[in-house]
């Protein structure tokens, strides 16, 4: 809406999917096999190494990357039906997002787009608030278990586990 563009989203059918990203995941999995990983940051390094000729771009995301869109949803649901035996979300094969905020759907790739039967709510496209104000704490039990694992983790990695926020 902000850029006044139309976006078409096609949903692949279960069992009939093959995406370029599948080869990325496979390459990364091959690099991870038989390696000791002690820190989340090691996954980023390994992901970059997974393709030697042209390394993958890896972006570190922190808690402050995420925005809270919950208050700005124009639709409560994208379910195309209203009652039992009507189409459900998993029946949708394509969505078309119009610049005005309307959403259209297809149940088959060969169908024409149909407007969702839900009425959109007026919403602002103003900047959204951050979803998190600080790092998300883990439970005390999980933190304790991670502390126990430090016996088998190199000591130069201990500070990461010590610094995890916990309740």
């Amino acid at each position: 809406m902000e850029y006044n563009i139309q976006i078409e989203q096609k949903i692949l059918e279960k069992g009939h999917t093959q995406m370029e990203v599948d080869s990325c995941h496979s390459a990364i999995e091959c690099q991870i096999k038989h390696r000791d990983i002690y820190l989340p940051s090691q996954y980023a390094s390994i992901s970059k190494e997974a393709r030697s000729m042209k390394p993958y771009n890896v972006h570190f995301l922190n808690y402050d990357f995420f925005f809270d869109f919950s208050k700005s949803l124009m639709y409560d649901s994208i379910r195309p039906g209203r009652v039992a035996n009507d189409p459900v979300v998993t029946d949708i094969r394509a969505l078309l997002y119009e610049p005005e905020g309307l959403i259209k759907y297809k149940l088959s790739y060969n169908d024409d787009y149909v407007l969702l039967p839900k009425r959109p709510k007026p919403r602002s496209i103003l900047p959204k608030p951050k979803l998190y104000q600080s790092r998300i704490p883990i439970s005390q039990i999980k933190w304790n278990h991670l502390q126990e694992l430090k016996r088998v983790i190199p000591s130069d990695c201990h500070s990461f586990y010590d610094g995890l926020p916990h309740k």
Side-chain angles (χ1 to χ4, degrees):
M1 288 174 58
E2 183 177 342
Y3 296 104
N4 197 34
I5 59 172
Q6 184 182 67
I7 298 172
E8 184 176 24
Q9 177 184 9
K10 293 185 177 178
I11 292 103
L12 300 171
E13 295 188 38
K14 188 175 181 180
H16 297 276
T17 61
Q18 182 176 354
M19 299 176 71
E20 184 180 337
V21 74
D22 291 343
S23 67
C24 299
H25 290 167
S26 177
I28 292 167
E29 285 176 14
C30 287
Q31 286 291 319
I32 288 173
K33 278 186 183 175
H34 312 297
R35 301 216 20 204
D36 294 330
I37 298 174
Y38 302 109
L39 300 169
S41 59
Q42 289 178 280
Y43 283 105
S45 300
I46 291 169
S47 296
K48 285 180 185 178
E49 296 169 9
R51 189 168 65 175
S52 58
M53 297 299 276
K54 186 179 175 192
Y56 295 120
N57 291 323
V58 177
H59 300 275
F60 291 95
L61 303 181
N62 290 320
Y63 70 90
D64 60 350
F65 173 82
F66 301 93
F67 293 92
D68 184 0
F69 290 92
S70 65
K71 309 290 188 277
S72 62
L73 296 176
M74 293 186 68
Y75 289 86
D76 291 327
S77 168
I78 59 168
R79 182 179 178 200
R82 294 177 183 245
V83 296
N85 299 322
D86 275 356
V88 293
V89 173
T90 55
D91 295 326
I92 295 174
R93 290 293 157 252
L95 292 166
L96 187 68
Y97 304 91
E98 297 286 356
E100 313 79 50
L102 299 175
I103 301 176
K104 297 178 181 177
Y105 71 96
K106 287 184 183 185
L107 297 179
S108 167
Y109 297 119
N110 298 323
D111 291 347
D112 291 328
Y113 278 103
V114 179
L115 195 61
L116 272 179
K118 315 265 191 262
R119 283 193 175 155
K121 298 178 264 179
R123 293 290 184 226
S124 166
I125 57 171
L126 295 174
K128 308 297 180 248
K130 297 285 187 180
L131 185 58
Y132 305 108
Q133 305 309 313
S134 61
R135 291 172 61 190
I136 303 166
I138 60 175
S139 70
Q140 183 67 43
I141 292 171
K142 186 176 286 189
W143 190 84
N144 290 341
H145 288 160
L146 289 170
Q147 297 305 307
E148 292 172 18
L149 284 175
K150 289 191 324 189
R151 293 184 301 222
V152 295
I153 294 174
S155 59
D156 62 332
C157 299
H158 290 191
S159 62
F160 170 81
Y161 295 96
D162 293 338
L164 288 172
H166 56 282
K167 299 175 189 171

